[in-house]
Amino acid sequence: MIQIEKMPSGFLKVIKDGETYEKVNVVRLFPYQYEKKYIALLDQENKEITILKDLNDLREEERTLLLDYLSYKYYMPEITKVNQVKEKMGFLYVDLDTTAGKKEVCIADFVSNIRLIKNKILSITDVEGNKYRISDFNTLDQLSKQKLDVFL
């Protein structure tokens, strides 16, 4: 049995089998579409403490702590529209509407940083490491799809 608590510093603490781990890192394991399943808890040296198969098996307070942490760590605004794509000197400059507002992102090496997963989920990583996604590429408006299709 494990206990998960939030420390006054904001970091998470895990108590497992009588051993206490502070500043615990929480990581989603593949596949990412299971947002509440297969969650690894790692110590400060990124060594595995445990893997949680399903967050629904935890007490509500602990589940909420982990979901809040994961929401912050894996923050990915949803792309709702692609307004414009310009290519300049090997970089893509993309003007987007997202759930976090209007964004202009710069993408280097679009082959690696624009990924279509299972012909449905589109993941985009900009030069600063920010991630954006389209949960279902097929629901995007036709004009937005055409602007991205060239780079898929």
Side-chain angles (χ1 to χ4, degrees), residues 73-122:
K73 181 175 182 172
Y74 291 98
Y75 176 67
M76 279 193 280
E78 184 80 17
I79 296 168
T80 56
K81 184 177 180 184
V82 179
N83 299 309
Q84 187 175 34
V85 178
K86 294 181 196 173
E87 189 173 5
K88 186 176 178 183
M89 296 176 55
F91 291 91
L92 290 181
Y93 295 89
V94 186
D95 182 358
L96 303 168
D97 290 344
T98 75
T99 53
K102 193 171 180 66
K103 304 282 182 187
E104 184 167 324
V105 300
C106 178
I107 303 166
D109 185 20
F110 65 83
V111 173
S112 297
N113 291 310
I114 299 178
R115 308 197 112 198
L116 188 60
I117 304 162
K118 293 189 175 184
N119 293 323
K120 182 178 176 182
I121 302 168
L122 186 74

Side-chain angles (χ1 to χ4, degrees), residues 1 3 6 13 34 39 50 57 64-66 71 79 140:
M1 183 167 140
Q3 283 181 272
K6 189 172 188 177
K13 174 171 77 173
Y34 300 122
I39 307 297
T50 193
D57 296 339
T64 300
L65 282 174
L66 291 177
S71 177
I79 296 168
L140 201 58

Side-chain angles (χ1 to χ4, degrees), residues 26-40 51-58 63 66-67 70 74:
V26 182
V27 179
R28 270 195 184 109
L29 303 175
F30 287 105
Y32 285 140
Q33 70 254 31
Y34 300 122
E35 295 183 351
K36 294 182 182 179
K37 295 184 179 195
Y38 305 109
I39 307 297
I51 293 178
L52 305 171
K53 289 183 181 175
D54 192 337
L55 294 186
N56 290 322
D57 296 339
L58 298 174
R63 182 174 50 251
L66 291 177
L67 288 172
L70 289 166
Y74 291 98

